[in-house]
Every structure is written in structure tokens, then in C-alpha cells.
Amino acid sequence: MVVIHRMKDPIQLAERAAEFIREQAQKAITRHGRFDLVLSGGSTPEATYQSLMAGGDVEWPSVYLYWGDERCVPPTDAASNFRMADRALISSVPVPEEHIFRIHGEDDPQAAAEAYQRVLETRFADEGQPRFDLVLLGLGPEAHTASLFPGTLALKEEGRWVVPNYVDKLTSWRVTLTPAAINSALQVLFLVQGKEKAPAVRQVLEGDRNPIQWPAQMIQPTDGTAHWFLDEEAASLLRNH
Ligand code: 6PG
């Protein structure tokens, strides 16, 4: 199922997204005693993380943090998705260290992916699939999400939950959750803002189906809901939503 949420501007998007995440945390902790949250990289989520940190009302000791993807750089590197989340949120909230499962971007990509696969297999041994309570995602202008870029090998992966992925366009390696891993989630939340994303939003939600070219089209939770939090600029080309 897909649910579109239109927000006035990036400030309202961050505030409403933080409220949504708080609500999902409360529901998950009530339901099964923990909140398995996958954080997104990129720049859009930063304001949401800051709003989440400032807003209180989250039972942080029951939260477990994962990442949807990571750049193959050390956690101290300015490009690190872990570093962004740590500065905007994690360093200011009482999530136990042992609940933070970062992708080791400083390691060889294949080794880092295999290690993260093992982490997820251990964390979700009972479920047999990475049944995250909520996965946060962004959207690139060419409709990539996580590090699932158009035409890359990760799009074809069906067995593994985590793979290394070489991105020609960026001439760099990434480690990313696969579509199957993301689609195992109960809830997915896309956070998308800005006019430059409007064509990709329209293509993914209303265009012809071509997931190799528009990878975010691959994100359709098997037994869950995909929520799209869009500001008016990002939603401006939608015709049927
Ligand atoms: C990354 C992200 C990536 C990001 C989009 C949007 O590692 O860069 O996982 O998928 O969400 O590129 O990025 P912005 O929010 O910066 O536009």
C-alpha cells in the first residue's frame, strides 16, 4: 500500500516526519518491546533527525538503529551517513551503544556487506527476514533510493539482504540494503523535498513501470505500507495523488 502525505514546506515535512516516527516507535515498543528503525543517509533526513531529537517522547533505550546504506568511507568522513545521523541525533539521545548497528564503510565493501548481512541474520533470526518496524528512505533526482542506483547490480539481487554496489556515476562503492530487505519492512517512509526531485517523484509514483531505470519503483513492502512525505515542490508534478 502507498500513502502520500503532502507538506507545506521542508520545515513542516521534518516536523511531521518526526511525529510519525515517534508514533511508530510507540506502537512498535508496545507491540514487541523494541523499535527497529533503519536510518537514511543524504541531507534531507537531517532536519527530521534534529526534530526527533528535540521533541522527546521516544523510549530511546528500546530503539535499535540500522542504516539503509553507507558510503564506503570511515565513520568520521564528512560523507558518512553514520556521521550525519550521529551528529544530528544519536549523540544527543540515550540509545545504548549496543543498539547501534552501523555499516562499516571503512572496511572492504564486500566484507562490510557480508558482516552486515550476518548482523541482520542474527537480529532477525526468529523472523527469517529483516522485519524492520520502519525504514527511512530518500530519493535521488534520478529516482535512486538507499544506494540502489539505476542500472546497478544491486537491483538484481534476490537472495541477500545487504550487498556492495559499485556506482559508476559516482565512481565509488556503496553498501546497501537490497530491495528484498527493504520490502520486508512493516513501514517504509520516503522523505522527499525540493523542486529538483519532482520529476523523479512523478516518474516513480505515476510513470511507466521500469524499476531498473527508476529504482525506487522496486520499493513495495510485501506486507507493509510505503509512506511518501513530500513537500509541495517535490509533489508539484503529481497528477493522480
Ligand atoms: C545516500 C542516501 C541516498 C539519499 C538520496 C537523497 O547515501 O546518499 O541513502 O539514497 O537518500 O540520494 O539525498 P538528499 O536527501 O541529499 O537529496
PDB file of all heavy atoms in Angstrom, residues 38-46 49 66-71 79-85 136-139 144-147 174 191 197:
ATOM      1  N   VAL A  38      15.452   1.842  10.611  1.00  0.00           N
ATOM      2  CA  VAL A  38      16.532   1.988   9.620  1.00  0.00           C
ATOM      3  C   VAL A  38      16.634   3.457   9.230  1.00  0.00           C
ATOM      4  O   VAL A  38      15.648   4.052   8.764  1.00  0.00           O
ATOM      5  CB  VAL A  38      16.255   1.126   8.369  1.00  0.00           C
ATOM      6  CG1 VAL A  38      17.341   1.349   7.312  1.00  0.00           C
ATOM      7  CG2 VAL A  38      16.168  -0.358   8.743  1.00  0.00           C
ATOM      8  N   LEU A  39      17.817   4.032   9.440  1.00  0.00           N
ATOM      9  CA  LEU A  39      18.029   5.442   9.116  1.00  0.00           C
ATOM     10  C   LEU A  39      18.474   5.584   7.672  1.00  0.00           C
ATOM     11  O   LEU A  39      19.131   4.696   7.109  1.00  0.00           O
ATOM     12  CB  LEU A  39      19.082   6.039  10.053  1.00  0.00           C
ATOM     13  CG  LEU A  39      18.724   6.040  11.545  1.00  0.00           C
ATOM     14  CD1 LEU A  39      19.872   6.617  12.369  1.00  0.00           C
ATOM     15  CD2 LEU A  39      17.436   6.814  11.812  1.00  0.00           C
ATOM     16  N   SER A  40      18.114   6.732   7.086  1.00  0.00           N
ATOM     17  CA  SER A  40      18.521   7.035   5.723  1.00  0.00           C
ATOM     18  C   SER A  40      19.719   7.975   5.749  1.00  0.00           C
ATOM     19  O   SER A  40      19.947   8.686   6.728  1.00  0.00           O
ATOM     20  CB  SER A  40      17.371   7.718   4.964  1.00  0.00           C
ATOM     21  OG  SER A  40      17.831   8.186   3.698  1.00  0.00           O
ATOM     22  N   GLY A  41      20.448   7.978   4.651  1.00  0.00           N
ATOM     23  CA  GLY A  41      21.541   8.931   4.503  1.00  0.00           C
ATOM     24  C   GLY A  41      21.086  10.125   3.694  1.00  0.00           C
ATOM     25  O   GLY A  41      19.887  10.412   3.611  1.00  0.00           O
ATOM     26  N   GLY A  42      22.070  10.806   3.085  1.00  0.00           N
ATOM     27  CA  GLY A  42      21.757  12.004   2.334  1.00  0.00           C
ATOM     28  C   GLY A  42      21.514  13.184   3.277  1.00  0.00           C
ATOM     29  O   GLY A  42      21.720  13.089   4.486  1.00  0.00           O
ATOM     30  N   SER A  43      21.030  14.292   2.732  1.00  0.00           N
ATOM     31  CA  SER A  43      20.868  15.510   3.534  1.00  0.00           C
ATOM     32  C   SER A  43      19.436  15.731   4.020  1.00  0.00           C
ATOM     33  O   SER A  43      19.217  16.322   5.075  1.00  0.00           O
ATOM     34  CB  SER A  43      21.306  16.722   2.704  1.00  0.00           C
ATOM     35  OG  SER A  43      20.548  16.763   1.492  1.00  0.00           O
ATOM     36  N   THR A  44      18.450  15.243   3.263  1.00  0.00           N
ATOM     37  CA  THR A  44      17.050  15.529   3.631  1.00  0.00           C
ATOM     38  C   THR A  44      16.703  15.119   5.060  1.00  0.00           C
ATOM     39  O   THR A  44      16.075  15.881   5.788  1.00  0.00           O
ATOM     40  CB  THR A  44      16.080  14.874   2.636  1.00  0.00           C
ATOM     41  OG1 THR A  44      16.365  15.363   1.324  1.00  0.00           O
ATOM     42  CG2 THR A  44      14.635  15.162   3.007  1.00  0.00           C
ATOM     43  N   PRO A  45      17.096  13.918   5.502  1.00  0.00           N
ATOM     44  CA  PRO A  45      16.630  13.476   6.827  1.00  0.00           C
ATOM     45  C   PRO A  45      17.219  14.258   7.995  1.00  0.00           C
ATOM     46  O   PRO A  45      16.718  14.144   9.109  1.00  0.00           O
ATOM     47  CB  PRO A  45      17.088  12.021   6.919  1.00  0.00           C
ATOM     48  CG  PRO A  45      17.560  11.640   5.575  1.00  0.00           C
ATOM     49  CD  PRO A  45      17.952  12.881   4.873  1.00  0.00           C
ATOM     50  N   GLU A  46      18.270  15.036   7.757  1.00  0.00           N
ATOM     51  CA  GLU A  46      18.952  15.684   8.886  1.00  0.00           C
ATOM     52  C   GLU A  46      17.984  16.515   9.739  1.00  0.00           C
ATOM     53  O   GLU A  46      17.977  16.418  10.970  1.00  0.00           O
ATOM     54  CB  GLU A  46      20.100  16.556   8.374  1.00  0.00           C
ATOM     55  CG  GLU A  46      20.991  17.067   9.484  1.00  0.00           C
ATOM     56  CD  GLU A  46      22.310  17.616   8.962  1.00  0.00           C
ATOM     57  OE1 GLU A  46      22.524  17.645   7.729  1.00  0.00           O
ATOM     58  OE2 GLU A  46      23.153  18.010   9.805  1.00  0.00           O
ATOM     59  N   TYR A  49      15.855  14.286  11.827  1.00  0.00           N
ATOM     60  CA  TYR A  49      16.589  13.741  12.986  1.00  0.00           C
ATOM     61  C   TYR A  49      16.686  14.797  14.087  1.00  0.00           C
ATOM     62  O   TYR A  49      16.515  14.508  15.268  1.00  0.00           O
ATOM     63  CB  TYR A  49      17.986  13.282  12.566  1.00  0.00           C
ATOM     64  CG  TYR A  49      18.021  12.148  11.556  1.00  0.00           C
ATOM     65  CD1 TYR A  49      19.168  11.889  10.814  1.00  0.00           C
ATOM     66  CD2 TYR A  49      16.914  11.351  11.330  1.00  0.00           C
ATOM     67  CE1 TYR A  49      19.221  10.862   9.888  1.00  0.00           C
ATOM     68  CE2 TYR A  49      16.951  10.316  10.395  1.00  0.00           C
ATOM     69  CZ  TYR A  49      18.096  10.076   9.685  1.00  0.00           C
ATOM     70  OH  TYR A  49      18.132   9.068   8.761  1.00  0.00           O
ATOM     71  N   TYR A  66      19.660   0.997  12.583  1.00  0.00           N
ATOM     72  CA  TYR A  66      20.338   0.373  11.449  1.00  0.00           C
ATOM     73  C   TYR A  66      20.446   1.442  10.361  1.00  0.00           C
ATOM     74  O   TYR A  66      19.872   2.532  10.491  1.00  0.00           O
ATOM     75  CB  TYR A  66      19.507  -0.806  10.912  1.00  0.00           C
ATOM     76  CG  TYR A  66      19.060  -1.792  11.959  1.00  0.00           C
ATOM     77  CD1 TYR A  66      17.931  -1.538  12.747  1.00  0.00           C
ATOM     78  CD2 TYR A  66      19.750  -2.988  12.171  1.00  0.00           C
ATOM     79  CE1 TYR A  66      17.510  -2.432  13.718  1.00  0.00           C
ATOM     80  CE2 TYR A  66      19.336  -3.884  13.140  1.00  0.00           C
ATOM     81  CZ  TYR A  66      18.215  -3.605  13.908  1.00  0.00           C
ATOM     82  OH  TYR A  66      17.808  -4.504  14.878  1.00  0.00           O
ATOM     83  N   TRP A  67      21.179   1.101   9.271  1.00  0.00           N
ATOM     84  CA  TRP A  67      21.265   2.015   8.135  1.00  0.00           C
ATOM     85  C   TRP A  67      20.813   1.320   6.864  1.00  0.00           C
ATOM     86  O   TRP A  67      21.073   0.124   6.675  1.00  0.00           O
ATOM     87  CB  TRP A  67      22.703   2.541   7.989  1.00  0.00           C
ATOM     88  CG  TRP A  67      22.929   3.757   8.852  1.00  0.00           C
ATOM     89  CD1 TRP A  67      22.915   5.064   8.464  1.00  0.00           C
ATOM     90  CD2 TRP A  67      23.142   3.769  10.263  1.00  0.00           C
ATOM     91  NE1 TRP A  67      23.116   5.889   9.553  1.00  0.00           N
ATOM     92  CE2 TRP A  67      23.256   5.126  10.662  1.00  0.00           C
ATOM     93  CE3 TRP A  67      23.251   2.773  11.241  1.00  0.00           C
ATOM     94  CZ2 TRP A  67      23.463   5.515  11.980  1.00  0.00           C
ATOM     95  CZ3 TRP A  67      23.456   3.157  12.579  1.00  0.00           C
ATOM     96  CH2 TRP A  67      23.560   4.517  12.934  1.00  0.00           C
ATOM     97  N   GLY A  68      20.172   2.107   5.975  1.00  0.00           N
ATOM     98  CA  GLY A  68      19.735   1.544   4.699  1.00  0.00           C
ATOM     99  C   GLY A  68      20.883   1.427   3.718  1.00  0.00           C
ATOM    100  O   GLY A  68      20.896   0.584   2.830  1.00  0.00           O
ATOM    101  N   ASP A  69      21.873   2.295   3.888  1.00  0.00           N
ATOM    102  CA  ASP A  69      23.062   2.221   3.043  1.00  0.00           C
ATOM    103  C   ASP A  69      24.168   3.046   3.676  1.00  0.00           C
ATOM    104  O   ASP A  69      23.951   3.822   4.603  1.00  0.00           O
ATOM    105  CB  ASP A  69      22.769   2.703   1.625  1.00  0.00           C
ATOM    106  CG  ASP A  69      22.526   4.209   1.548  1.00  0.00           C
ATOM    107  OD1 ASP A  69      21.923   4.770   2.484  1.00  0.00           O
ATOM    108  OD2 ASP A  69      22.950   4.836   0.575  1.00  0.00           O
ATOM    109  N   GLU A  70      25.370   2.864   3.153  1.00  0.00           N
ATOM    110  CA  GLU A  70      26.517   3.639   3.642  1.00  0.00           C
ATOM    111  C   GLU A  70      27.494   3.859   2.507  1.00  0.00           C
ATOM    112  O   GLU A  70      27.636   2.997   1.622  1.00  0.00           O
ATOM    113  CB  GLU A  70      27.178   2.933   4.822  1.00  0.00           C
ATOM    114  CG  GLU A  70      28.289   3.734   5.528  1.00  0.00           C
ATOM    115  CD  GLU A  70      27.835   5.108   5.995  1.00  0.00           C
ATOM    116  OE1 GLU A  70      27.837   6.036   5.172  1.00  0.00           O
ATOM    117  OE2 GLU A  70      27.486   5.241   7.183  1.00  0.00           O
ATOM    118  N   ARG A  71      28.105   5.014   2.554  1.00  0.00           N
ATOM    119  CA  ARG A  71      29.198   5.264   1.607  1.00  0.00           C
ATOM    120  C   ARG A  71      30.412   4.512   2.128  1.00  0.00           C
ATOM    121  O   ARG A  71      30.594   4.322   3.333  1.00  0.00           O
ATOM    122  CB  ARG A  71      29.472   6.754   1.539  1.00  0.00           C
ATOM    123  CG  ARG A  71      28.361   7.571   0.863  1.00  0.00           C
ATOM    124  CD  ARG A  71      27.252   7.941   1.830  1.00  0.00           C
ATOM    125  NE  ARG A  71      26.197   8.740   1.236  1.00  0.00           N
ATOM    126  CZ  ARG A  71      26.231  10.057   1.119  1.00  0.00           C
ATOM    127  NH1 ARG A  71      27.317  10.721   1.481  1.00  0.00           N
ATOM    128  NH2 ARG A  71      25.217  10.723   0.590  1.00  0.00           N
ATOM    129  N   ALA A  79      31.284  12.483   4.391  1.00  0.00           N
ATOM    130  CA  ALA A  79      30.290  11.826   3.513  1.00  0.00           C
ATOM    131  C   ALA A  79      29.566  10.682   4.214  1.00  0.00           C
ATOM    132  O   ALA A  79      28.617  10.117   3.670  1.00  0.00           O
ATOM    133  CB  ALA A  79      30.983  11.308   2.259  1.00  0.00           C
ATOM    134  N   SER A  80      30.006  10.340   5.420  1.00  0.00           N
ATOM    135  CA  SER A  80      29.435   9.162   6.108  1.00  0.00           C
ATOM    136  C   SER A  80      27.986   9.393   6.537  1.00  0.00           C
ATOM    137  O   SER A  80      27.664  10.380   7.205  1.00  0.00           O
ATOM    138  CB  SER A  80      30.281   8.844   7.350  1.00  0.00           C
ATOM    139  OG  SER A  80      29.584   7.953   8.209  1.00  0.00           O
ATOM    140  N   ASN A  81      27.110   8.459   6.175  1.00  0.00           N
ATOM    141  CA  ASN A  81      25.716   8.546   6.618  1.00  0.00           C
ATOM    142  C   ASN A  81      25.616   8.352   8.132  1.00  0.00           C
ATOM    143  O   ASN A  81      24.771   8.949   8.805  1.00  0.00           O
ATOM    144  CB  ASN A  81      24.853   7.509   5.892  1.00  0.00           C
ATOM    145  CG  ASN A  81      24.616   7.870   4.446  1.00  0.00           C
ATOM    146  OD1 ASN A  81      24.695   9.046   4.061  1.00  0.00           O
ATOM    147  ND2 ASN A  81      24.355   6.874   3.615  1.00  0.00           N
ATOM    148  N   PHE A  82      26.508   7.513   8.667  1.00  0.00           N
ATOM    149  CA  PHE A  82      26.511   7.325  10.128  1.00  0.00           C
ATOM    150  C   PHE A  82      26.849   8.653  10.816  1.00  0.00           C
ATOM    151  O   PHE A  82      26.199   9.078  11.764  1.00  0.00           O
ATOM    152  CB  PHE A  82      27.524   6.254  10.554  1.00  0.00           C
ATOM    153  CG  PHE A  82      27.791   6.266  12.034  1.00  0.00           C
ATOM    154  CD1 PHE A  82      26.906   5.654  12.909  1.00  0.00           C
ATOM    155  CD2 PHE A  82      28.896   6.935  12.558  1.00  0.00           C
ATOM    156  CE1 PHE A  82      27.114   5.689  14.280  1.00  0.00           C
ATOM    157  CE2 PHE A  82      29.114   6.986  13.940  1.00  0.00           C
ATOM    158  CZ  PHE A  82      28.218   6.350  14.798  1.00  0.00           C
ATOM    159  N   ARG A  83      27.887   9.332  10.261  1.00  0.00           N
ATOM    160  CA  ARG A  83      28.347  10.580  10.916  1.00  0.00           C
ATOM    161  C   ARG A  83      27.213  11.612  10.942  1.00  0.00           C
ATOM    162  O   ARG A  83      26.997  12.291  11.946  1.00  0.00           O
ATOM    163  CB  ARG A  83      29.553  11.122  10.154  1.00  0.00           C
ATOM    164  CG  ARG A  83      30.116  12.433  10.709  1.00  0.00           C
ATOM    165  CD  ARG A  83      31.347  12.839   9.938  1.00  0.00           C
ATOM    166  NE  ARG A  83      31.942  14.096  10.385  1.00  0.00           N
ATOM    167  CZ  ARG A  83      31.599  15.295   9.913  1.00  0.00           C
ATOM    168  NH1 ARG A  83      30.619  15.402   9.007  1.00  0.00           N
ATOM    169  NH2 ARG A  83      32.201  16.396  10.348  1.00  0.00           N
ATOM    170  N   MET A  84      26.484  11.704   9.832  1.00  0.00           N
ATOM    171  CA  MET A  84      25.397  12.702   9.782  1.00  0.00           C
ATOM    172  C   MET A  84      24.367  12.394  10.855  1.00  0.00           C
ATOM    173  O   MET A  84      23.963  13.265  11.624  1.00  0.00           O
ATOM    174  CB  MET A  84      24.751  12.680   8.390  1.00  0.00           C
ATOM    175  CG  MET A  84      23.658  13.715   8.171  1.00  0.00           C
ATOM    176  SD  MET A  84      22.016  13.182   8.760  1.00  0.00           S
ATOM    177  CE  MET A  84      21.477  12.193   7.372  1.00  0.00           C
ATOM    178  N   ALA A  85      23.950  11.134  10.952  1.00  0.00           N
ATOM    179  CA  ALA A  85      22.929  10.759  11.947  1.00  0.00           C
ATOM    180  C   ALA A  85      23.469  10.912  13.364  1.00  0.00           C
ATOM    181  O   ALA A  85      22.750  11.305  14.287  1.00  0.00           O
ATOM    182  CB  ALA A  85      22.482   9.321  11.694  1.00  0.00           C
ATOM    183  N   LEU A 136      13.556   4.358   6.807  1.00  0.00           N
ATOM    184  CA  LEU A 136      13.555   5.717   6.234  1.00  0.00           C
ATOM    185  C   LEU A 136      14.346   5.680   4.939  1.00  0.00           C
ATOM    186  O   LEU A 136      15.410   5.041   4.863  1.00  0.00           O
ATOM    187  CB  LEU A 136      14.198   6.714   7.206  1.00  0.00           C
ATOM    188  CG  LEU A 136      13.604   6.796   8.617  1.00  0.00           C
ATOM    189  CD1 LEU A 136      14.307   7.899   9.418  1.00  0.00           C
ATOM    190  CD2 LEU A 136      12.105   7.036   8.583  1.00  0.00           C
ATOM    191  N   LEU A 137      13.827   6.363   3.917  1.00  0.00           N
ATOM    192  CA  LEU A 137      14.494   6.399   2.620  1.00  0.00           C
ATOM    193  C   LEU A 137      14.446   7.815   2.051  1.00  0.00           C
ATOM    194  O   LEU A 137      13.518   8.576   2.330  1.00  0.00           O
ATOM    195  CB  LEU A 137      13.810   5.445   1.627  1.00  0.00           C
ATOM    196  CG  LEU A 137      13.912   3.952   1.916  1.00  0.00           C
ATOM    197  CD1 LEU A 137      12.995   3.178   0.972  1.00  0.00           C
ATOM    198  CD2 LEU A 137      15.348   3.448   1.787  1.00  0.00           C
ATOM    199  N   GLY A 138      15.451   8.130   1.231  1.00  0.00           N
ATOM    200  CA  GLY A 138      15.404   9.354   0.449  1.00  0.00           C
ATOM    201  C   GLY A 138      15.199   8.981  -1.015  1.00  0.00           C
ATOM    202  O   GLY A 138      15.039   7.805  -1.353  1.00  0.00           O
ATOM    203  N   LEU A 139      15.217   9.988  -1.856  1.00  0.00           N
ATOM    204  CA  LEU A 139      15.061   9.761  -3.300  1.00  0.00           C
ATOM    205  C   LEU A 139      16.019  10.679  -4.036  1.00  0.00           C
ATOM    206  O   LEU A 139      16.065  11.882  -3.787  1.00  0.00           O
ATOM    207  CB  LEU A 139      13.622  10.079  -3.739  1.00  0.00           C
ATOM    208  CG  LEU A 139      13.274   9.769  -5.195  1.00  0.00           C
ATOM    209  CD1 LEU A 139      13.082   8.256  -5.389  1.00  0.00           C
ATOM    210  CD2 LEU A 139      11.987  10.499  -5.606  1.00  0.00           C
ATOM    211  N   HIS A 144      17.017   7.079  -7.622  1.00  0.00           N
ATOM    212  CA  HIS A 144      17.660   6.054  -6.771  1.00  0.00           C
ATOM    213  C   HIS A 144      17.140   6.221  -5.350  1.00  0.00           C
ATOM    214  O   HIS A 144      16.678   7.290  -4.946  1.00  0.00           O
ATOM    215  CB  HIS A 144      19.191   6.163  -6.823  1.00  0.00           C
ATOM    216  CG  HIS A 144      19.793   7.169  -5.911  1.00  0.00           C
ATOM    217  ND1 HIS A 144      20.149   8.443  -6.318  1.00  0.00           N
ATOM    218  CD2 HIS A 144      20.121   7.100  -4.605  1.00  0.00           C
ATOM    219  CE1 HIS A 144      20.675   9.100  -5.298  1.00  0.00           C
ATOM    220  NE2 HIS A 144      20.663   8.315  -4.252  1.00  0.00           N
ATOM    221  N   THR A 145      17.244   5.124  -4.571  1.00  0.00           N
ATOM    222  CA  THR A 145      16.940   5.186  -3.150  1.00  0.00           C
ATOM    223  C   THR A 145      17.906   4.270  -2.419  1.00  0.00           C
ATOM    224  O   THR A 145      18.411   3.323  -3.034  1.00  0.00           O
ATOM    225  CB  THR A 145      15.476   4.811  -2.859  1.00  0.00           C
ATOM    226  OG1 THR A 145      15.142   5.130  -1.506  1.00  0.00           O
ATOM    227  CG2 THR A 145      15.201   3.344  -3.141  1.00  0.00           C
ATOM    228  N   ALA A 146      18.184   4.535  -1.170  1.00  0.00           N
ATOM    229  CA  ALA A 146      19.316   3.898  -0.490  1.00  0.00           C
ATOM    230  C   ALA A 146      20.516   4.045  -1.441  1.00  0.00           C
ATOM    231  O   ALA A 146      20.756   5.137  -1.948  1.00  0.00           O
ATOM    232  CB  ALA A 146      18.991   2.457  -0.122  1.00  0.00           C
ATOM    233  N   SER A 147      21.242   2.939  -1.705  1.00  0.00           N
ATOM    234  CA  SER A 147      22.273   3.049  -2.751  1.00  0.00           C
ATOM    235  C   SER A 147      21.916   2.149  -3.923  1.00  0.00           C
ATOM    236  O   SER A 147      22.771   1.494  -4.541  1.00  0.00           O
ATOM    237  CB  SER A 147      23.654   2.720  -2.182  1.00  0.00           C
ATOM    238  OG  SER A 147      24.133   3.814  -1.413  1.00  0.00           O
ATOM    239  N   ARG A 174      29.415   1.573  -2.659  1.00  0.00           N
ATOM    240  CA  ARG A 174      28.461   1.762  -1.567  1.00  0.00           C
ATOM    241  C   ARG A 174      28.161   0.391  -0.981  1.00  0.00           C
ATOM    242  O   ARG A 174      28.437  -0.635  -1.621  1.00  0.00           O
ATOM    243  CB  ARG A 174      27.147   2.363  -2.085  1.00  0.00           C
ATOM    244  CG  ARG A 174      27.255   3.758  -2.703  1.00  0.00           C
ATOM    245  CD  ARG A 174      27.412   4.816  -1.657  1.00  0.00           C
ATOM    246  NE  ARG A 174      27.326   6.187  -2.139  1.00  0.00           N
ATOM    247  CZ  ARG A 174      26.208   6.913  -2.160  1.00  0.00           C
ATOM    248  NH1 ARG A 174      25.069   6.368  -1.795  1.00  0.00           N
ATOM    249  NH2 ARG A 174      26.223   8.167  -2.547  1.00  0.00           N
ATOM    250  N   LEU A 191      11.282  10.364   2.479  1.00  0.00           N
ATOM    251  CA  LEU A 191      11.326  11.798   2.811  1.00  0.00           C
ATOM    252  C   LEU A 191      11.909  12.511   1.605  1.00  0.00           C
ATOM    253  O   LEU A 191      13.083  12.316   1.264  1.00  0.00           O
ATOM    254  CB  LEU A 191      12.220  12.030   4.035  1.00  0.00           C
ATOM    255  CG  LEU A 191      11.811  11.341   5.335  1.00  0.00           C
ATOM    256  CD1 LEU A 191      12.906  11.484   6.381  1.00  0.00           C
ATOM    257  CD2 LEU A 191      10.501  11.896   5.847  1.00  0.00           C
ATOM    258  N   LYS A 197      13.432  17.252  -7.228  1.00  0.00           N
ATOM    259  CA  LYS A 197      13.017  15.839  -7.071  1.00  0.00           C
ATOM    260  C   LYS A 197      11.648  15.574  -7.708  1.00  0.00           C
ATOM    261  O   LYS A 197      11.223  14.432  -7.832  1.00  0.00           O
ATOM    262  CB  LYS A 197      12.936  15.479  -5.576  1.00  0.00           C
ATOM    263  CG  LYS A 197      14.214  15.703  -4.773  1.00  0.00           C
ATOM    264  CD  LYS A 197      15.287  14.722  -5.149  1.00  0.00           C
ATOM    265  CE  LYS A 197      16.559  14.952  -4.356  1.00  0.00           C
ATOM    266  NZ  LYS A 197      16.462  14.516  -2.947  1.00  0.00           N
TER     267      LYS A 197
END
